[in-house]
PDB file of all heavy atoms in Angstrom:
ATOM      1  N   ILE I  11      -8.444   8.331   4.719  1.00 92.00           N
ATOM      2  CA  ILE I  11      -9.123   8.458   6.015  1.00 92.00           C
ATOM      3  C   ILE I  11     -10.378   9.296   5.755  1.00 92.00           C
ATOM      4  O   ILE I  11     -10.287  10.339   5.098  1.00 92.00           O
ATOM      5  CB  ILE I  11      -8.227   9.132   7.031  1.00 92.00           C
ATOM      6  CG1 ILE I  11      -6.952   8.311   7.228  1.00 92.00           C
ATOM      7  CG2 ILE I  11      -8.958   9.322   8.381  1.00 92.00           C
ATOM      8  CD1 ILE I  11      -5.884   9.009   8.046  1.00 92.00           C
ATOM      9  N   ARG I  12     -11.499   8.865   6.268  1.00 92.00           N
ATOM     10  CA  ARG I  12     -12.760   9.559   5.991  1.00 92.00           C
ATOM     11  C   ARG I  12     -13.608   9.649   7.259  1.00 92.00           C
ATOM     12  O   ARG I  12     -13.409   8.896   8.212  1.00 92.00           O
ATOM     13  CB  ARG I  12     -13.557   8.869   4.901  1.00 92.00           C
ATOM     14  CG  ARG I  12     -13.966   7.438   5.325  1.00 92.00           C
ATOM     15  CD  ARG I  12     -14.749   6.768   4.215  1.00 92.00           C
ATOM     16  NE  ARG I  12     -15.156   5.407   4.651  1.00 92.00           N
ATOM     17  CZ  ARG I  12     -16.188   5.116   5.422  1.00 92.00           C
ATOM     18  NH1 ARG I  12     -16.982   6.066   5.876  1.00 92.00           N
ATOM     19  NH2 ARG I  12     -16.469   3.882   5.749  1.00 92.00           N
ATOM     20  N   ARG I  13     -14.587  10.536   7.247  1.00 91.00           N
ATOM     21  CA  ARG I  13     -15.587  10.585   8.314  1.00 91.00           C
ATOM     22  C   ARG I  13     -16.463   9.367   8.201  1.00 91.00           C
ATOM     23  O   ARG I  13     -16.614   8.825   7.139  1.00 91.00           O
ATOM     24  CB  ARG I  13     -16.389  11.876   8.227  1.00 91.00           C
ATOM     25  CG  ARG I  13     -15.504  13.082   8.501  1.00 91.00           C
ATOM     26  CD  ARG I  13     -16.170  14.348   8.904  1.00 91.00           C
ATOM     27  NE  ARG I  13     -17.265  14.270   9.832  1.00 91.00           N
ATOM     28  CZ  ARG I  13     -17.145  14.362  11.183  1.00 91.00           C
ATOM     29  NH1 ARG I  13     -15.955  14.505  11.712  1.00 91.00           N
ATOM     30  NH2 ARG I  13     -18.202  14.355  11.956  1.00 91.00           N
ATOM     31  N   VAL I  14     -17.055   8.966   9.311  1.00 91.00           N
ATOM     32  CA  VAL I  14     -17.874   7.780   9.317  1.00 91.00           C
ATOM     33  C   VAL I  14     -19.306   8.105   9.748  1.00 91.00           C
ATOM     34  O   VAL I  14     -19.578   9.139  10.429  1.00 91.00           O
ATOM     35  CB  VAL I  14     -17.291   6.708  10.268  1.00 91.00           C
ATOM     36  CG1 VAL I  14     -15.977   6.208   9.749  1.00 91.00           C
ATOM     37  CG2 VAL I  14     -17.094   7.217  11.672  1.00 91.00           C
ATOM     38  N   MET I  36     -12.988   4.317   9.609  1.00 91.00           N
ATOM     39  CA  MET I  36     -12.575   5.504   8.886  1.00 91.00           C
ATOM     40  C   MET I  36     -11.375   5.212   7.986  1.00 91.00           C
ATOM     41  O   MET I  36     -10.959   6.077   7.224  1.00 91.00           O
ATOM     42  CB  MET I  36     -12.297   6.673   9.821  1.00 91.00           C
ATOM     43  CG  MET I  36     -11.171   6.456  10.819  1.00 91.00           C
ATOM     44  SD  MET I  36     -11.597   5.450  12.254  1.00 91.00           S
ATOM     45  CE  MET I  36     -12.896   6.314  13.036  1.00 91.00           C
ATOM     46  N   PHE I  37     -10.781   4.050   8.080  1.00 92.00           N
ATOM     47  CA  PHE I  37      -9.645   3.679   7.257  1.00 92.00           C
ATOM     48  C   PHE I  37     -10.099   2.805   6.088  1.00 92.00           C
ATOM     49  O   PHE I  37     -11.004   1.989   6.218  1.00 92.00           O
ATOM     50  CB  PHE I  37      -8.599   2.887   8.067  1.00 92.00           C
ATOM     51  CG  PHE I  37      -8.055   3.674   9.215  1.00 92.00           C
ATOM     52  CD1 PHE I  37      -8.086   3.181  10.527  1.00 92.00           C
ATOM     53  CD2 PHE I  37      -7.429   4.902   9.027  1.00 92.00           C
ATOM     54  CE1 PHE I  37      -7.539   3.865  11.579  1.00 92.00           C
ATOM     55  CE2 PHE I  37      -6.892   5.596  10.059  1.00 92.00           C
ATOM     56  CZ  PHE I  37      -6.942   5.092  11.353  1.00 92.00           C
ATOM     57  N   PHE I  53       1.987   5.937  13.505  1.00 93.00           N
ATOM     58  CA  PHE I  53       1.822   7.143  14.289  1.00 93.00           C
ATOM     59  C   PHE I  53       1.242   8.256  13.453  1.00 93.00           C
ATOM     60  O   PHE I  53       0.315   9.005  13.893  1.00 93.00           O
ATOM     61  CB  PHE I  53       3.165   7.525  14.904  1.00 93.00           C
ATOM     62  CG  PHE I  53       3.076   8.700  15.865  1.00 93.00           C
ATOM     63  CD1 PHE I  53       2.493   8.540  17.134  1.00 93.00           C
ATOM     64  CD2 PHE I  53       3.564   9.945  15.479  1.00 93.00           C
ATOM     65  CE1 PHE I  53       2.404   9.630  17.973  1.00 93.00           C
ATOM     66  CE2 PHE I  53       3.466  11.034  16.367  1.00 93.00           C
ATOM     67  CZ  PHE I  53       2.905  10.877  17.605  1.00 93.00           C
ATOM     68  N   ALA I  54       1.735   8.400  12.227  1.00 93.00           N
ATOM     69  CA  ALA I  54       1.237   9.474  11.336  1.00 93.00           C
ATOM     70  C   ALA I  54      -0.233   9.247  11.023  1.00 93.00           C
ATOM     71  O   ALA I  54      -1.026  10.205  11.029  1.00 93.00           O
ATOM     72  CB  ALA I  54       2.069   9.493  10.026  1.00 93.00           C
ATOM     73  N   ILE I  55      -0.661   8.025  10.786  1.00 92.00           N
ATOM     74  CA  ILE I  55      -2.054   7.722  10.520  1.00 92.00           C
ATOM     75  C   ILE I  55      -2.911   7.960  11.758  1.00 92.00           C
ATOM     76  O   ILE I  55      -3.993   8.540  11.667  1.00 92.00           O
ATOM     77  CB  ILE I  55      -2.197   6.289  10.000  1.00 92.00           C
ATOM     78  CG1 ILE I  55      -1.708   6.266   8.549  1.00 92.00           C
ATOM     79  CG2 ILE I  55      -3.626   5.810  10.118  1.00 92.00           C
ATOM     80  CD1 ILE I  55      -1.757   4.957   7.886  1.00 92.00           C
ATOM     81  N   ASP I  56      -2.389   7.536  12.896  1.00 88.00           N
ATOM     82  CA  ASP I  56      -3.158   7.783  14.162  1.00 88.00           C
ATOM     83  C   ASP I  56      -3.359   9.255  14.410  1.00 88.00           C
ATOM     84  O   ASP I  56      -4.416   9.681  14.883  1.00 88.00           O
ATOM     85  CB  ASP I  56      -2.432   7.120  15.342  1.00 88.00           C
ATOM     86  CG  ASP I  56      -2.427   5.598  15.268  1.00 88.00           C
ATOM     87  OD1 ASP I  56      -3.207   5.028  14.494  1.00 88.00           O
ATOM     88  OD2 ASP I  56      -1.633   4.983  16.021  1.00 88.00           O
ATOM     89  N   GLU I  57      -2.360  10.074  14.102  1.00 90.00           N
ATOM     90  CA  GLU I  57      -2.495  11.546  14.258  1.00 90.00           C
ATOM     91  C   GLU I  57      -3.470  12.111  13.202  1.00 90.00           C
ATOM     92  O   GLU I  57      -4.270  12.974  13.534  1.00 90.00           O
ATOM     93  CB  GLU I  57      -1.142  12.220  14.108  1.00 90.00           C
ATOM     94  CG  GLU I  57      -0.268  12.100  15.329  1.00 90.00           C
ATOM     95  CD  GLU I  57       0.991  12.939  15.162  1.00 90.00           C
ATOM     96  OE1 GLU I  57       1.593  12.971  14.094  1.00 90.00           O
ATOM     97  OE2 GLU I  57       1.347  13.588  16.169  1.00 90.00           O
ATOM     98  N   ALA I  58      -3.347  11.630  11.971  1.00 91.00           N
ATOM     99  CA  ALA I  58      -4.167  12.178  10.908  1.00 91.00           C
ATOM    100  C   ALA I  58      -5.648  11.886  11.075  1.00 91.00           C
ATOM    101  O   ALA I  58      -6.486  12.634  10.601  1.00 91.00           O
ATOM    102  CB  ALA I  58      -3.645  11.626   9.571  1.00 91.00           C
ATOM    103  N   VAL I  59      -5.976  10.792  11.762  1.00 90.00           N
ATOM    104  CA  VAL I  59      -7.366  10.445  11.904  1.00 90.00           C
ATOM    105  C   VAL I  59      -8.129  11.292  12.897  1.00 90.00           C
ATOM    106  O   VAL I  59      -9.350  11.427  12.813  1.00 90.00           O
ATOM    107  CB  VAL I  59      -7.513   8.920  12.264  1.00 90.00           C
ATOM    108  CG1 VAL I  59      -7.223   8.658  13.720  1.00 90.00           C
ATOM    109  CG2 VAL I  59      -8.895   8.392  11.950  1.00 90.00           C
ATOM    110  N   VAL I  60      -7.434  11.917  13.839  1.00 88.00           N
ATOM    111  CA  VAL I  60      -8.118  12.680  14.927  1.00 88.00           C
ATOM    112  C   VAL I  60      -9.188  13.678  14.382  1.00 88.00           C
ATOM    113  O   VAL I  60     -10.300  13.656  14.898  1.00 88.00           O
ATOM    114  CB  VAL I  60      -7.064  13.344  15.845  1.00 88.00           C
ATOM    115  CG1 VAL I  60      -7.747  14.275  16.848  1.00 88.00           C
ATOM    116  CG2 VAL I  60      -6.289  12.255  16.575  1.00 88.00           C
ATOM    117  N   PRO I  61      -8.886  14.494  13.392  1.00 88.00           N
ATOM    118  CA  PRO I  61      -9.909  15.418  12.930  1.00 88.00           C
ATOM    119  C   PRO I  61     -11.155  14.753  12.331  1.00 88.00           C
ATOM    120  O   PRO I  61     -12.200  15.365  12.197  1.00 88.00           O
ATOM    121  CB  PRO I  61      -9.230  16.249  11.852  1.00 88.00           C
ATOM    122  CG  PRO I  61      -7.768  16.085  12.114  1.00 88.00           C
ATOM    123  CD  PRO I  61      -7.623  14.721  12.697  1.00 88.00           C
ATOM    124  N   PHE I  62     -11.015  13.468  11.927  1.00 86.00           N
ATOM    125  CA  PHE I  62     -12.130  12.758  11.309  1.00 86.00           C
ATOM    126  C   PHE I  62     -12.965  11.995  12.334  1.00 86.00           C
ATOM    127  O   PHE I  62     -14.008  11.439  11.978  1.00 86.00           O
ATOM    128  CB  PHE I  62     -11.606  11.750  10.266  1.00 86.00           C
ATOM    129  CG  PHE I  62     -10.956  12.455   9.127  1.00 86.00           C
ATOM    130  CD1 PHE I  62      -9.609  12.756   9.104  1.00 86.00           C
ATOM    131  CD2 PHE I  62     -11.715  12.835   7.976  1.00 86.00           C
ATOM    132  CE1 PHE I  62      -9.014  13.406   8.046  1.00 86.00           C
ATOM    133  CE2 PHE I  62     -11.136  13.451   6.932  1.00 86.00           C
ATOM    134  CZ  PHE I  62      -9.784  13.763   6.953  1.00 86.00           C
ATOM    135  N   LEU I  63     -12.519  11.908  13.559  1.00 86.00           N
ATOM    136  CA  LEU I  63     -13.224  11.119  14.590  1.00 86.00           C
ATOM    137  C   LEU I  63     -14.487  11.825  15.027  1.00 86.00           C
ATOM    138  O   LEU I  63     -14.485  13.009  15.315  1.00 86.00           O
ATOM    139  CB  LEU I  63     -12.361  10.878  15.792  1.00 86.00           C
ATOM    140  CG  LEU I  63     -11.138   9.980  15.620  1.00 86.00           C
ATOM    141  CD1 LEU I  63     -10.327   9.941  16.902  1.00 86.00           C
ATOM    142  CD2 LEU I  63     -11.545   8.593  15.218  1.00 86.00           C
ATOM    143  N   PRO I  64     -15.593  11.069  15.178  1.00 85.00           N
ATOM    144  CA  PRO I  64     -16.767  11.669  15.793  1.00 85.00           C
ATOM    145  C   PRO I  64     -16.460  11.910  17.269  1.00 85.00           C
ATOM    146  O   PRO I  64     -15.548  11.305  17.847  1.00 85.00           O
ATOM    147  CB  PRO I  64     -17.865  10.593  15.616  1.00 85.00           C
ATOM    148  CG  PRO I  64     -17.165   9.361  15.154  1.00 85.00           C
ATOM    149  CD  PRO I  64     -15.825   9.730  14.733  1.00 85.00           C
ATOM    150  N   ARG I  65     -17.166  12.806  17.888  1.00 84.00           N
ATOM    151  CA  ARG I  65     -16.891  13.147  19.291  1.00 84.00           C
ATOM    152  C   ARG I  65     -16.809  11.976  20.217  1.00 84.00           C
ATOM    153  O   ARG I  65     -16.017  11.908  21.150  1.00 84.00           O
ATOM    154  CB  ARG I  65     -17.938  14.182  19.804  1.00 84.00           C
ATOM    155  CG  ARG I  65     -17.672  15.557  19.288  1.00 84.00           C
ATOM    156  CD  ARG I  65     -18.645  16.512  19.804  1.00 84.00           C
ATOM    157  NE  ARG I  65     -19.900  16.296  19.082  1.00 84.00           N
ATOM    158  CZ  ARG I  65     -21.022  16.977  19.266  1.00 84.00           C
ATOM    159  NH1 ARG I  65     -21.046  17.924  20.166  1.00 84.00           N
ATOM    160  NH2 ARG I  65     -22.095  16.754  18.557  1.00 84.00           N
ATOM    161  N   LEU I  67     -15.856   8.852  19.653  1.00 78.00           N
ATOM    162  CA  LEU I  67     -14.584   8.153  19.533  1.00 78.00           C
ATOM    163  C   LEU I  67     -13.399   9.037  19.955  1.00 78.00           C
ATOM    164  O   LEU I  67     -12.418   8.562  20.490  1.00 78.00           O
ATOM    165  CB  LEU I  67     -14.387   7.627  18.109  1.00 78.00           C
ATOM    166  CG  LEU I  67     -15.330   6.498  17.666  1.00 78.00           C
ATOM    167  CD1 LEU I  67     -15.015   6.063  16.282  1.00 78.00           C
ATOM    168  CD2 LEU I  67     -15.320   5.320  18.637  1.00 78.00           C
ATOM    169  N   LYS I  68     -13.508  10.327  19.679  1.00 81.00           N
ATOM    170  CA  LYS I  68     -12.441  11.226  20.065  1.00 81.00           C
ATOM    171  C   LYS I  68     -12.316  11.289  21.595  1.00 81.00           C
ATOM    172  O   LYS I  68     -11.204  11.243  22.130  1.00 81.00           O
ATOM    173  CB  LYS I  68     -12.707  12.656  19.552  1.00 81.00           C
ATOM    174  CG  LYS I  68     -11.525  13.565  19.658  1.00 81.00           C
ATOM    175  CD  LYS I  68     -11.828  14.966  19.071  1.00 81.00           C
ATOM    176  CE  LYS I  68     -11.972  14.882  17.563  1.00 81.00           C
ATOM    177  NZ  LYS I  68     -12.035  16.180  16.921  1.00 81.00           N
ATOM    178  N   ALA I  71     -10.625   8.117  22.692  1.00 71.00           N
ATOM    179  CA  ALA I  71      -9.197   8.136  22.387  1.00 71.00           C
ATOM    180  C   ALA I  71      -8.442   9.025  23.339  1.00 71.00           C
ATOM    181  O   ALA I  71      -7.295   8.725  23.719  1.00 71.00           O
ATOM    182  CB  ALA I  71      -8.984   8.642  20.947  1.00 71.00           C
ATOM    183  N   GLU I  72      -9.049  10.124  23.780  1.00 73.00           N
ATOM    184  CA  GLU I  72      -8.389  11.052  24.715  1.00 73.00           C
ATOM    185  C   GLU I  72      -8.256  10.446  26.116  1.00 73.00           C
ATOM    186  O   GLU I  72      -7.374  10.814  26.837  1.00 73.00           O
ATOM    187  CB  GLU I  72      -9.142  12.381  24.768  1.00 73.00           C
ATOM    188  CG  GLU I  72      -8.989  13.181  23.485  1.00 73.00           C
ATOM    189  CD  GLU I  72      -9.894  14.386  23.389  1.00 73.00           C
ATOM    190  OE1 GLU I  72     -10.749  14.541  24.299  1.00 73.00           O
ATOM    191  OE2 GLU I  72      -9.753  15.139  22.437  1.00 73.00           O
TER     192      GLU I  72
END
Side-chain angles (χ1 to χ4, degrees):
I11 300 170
R12 64 179 179 82
R13 292 200 44 91
V14 294
M36 63 282 299
F37 299 125
F53 185 73
I55 285 179
D56 292 345
E57 283 187 318
V59 78
V60 172
F62 295 90
L63 292 176
R65 284 181 285 182
L67 293 181
K68 193 178 291 189
E72 289 170 355

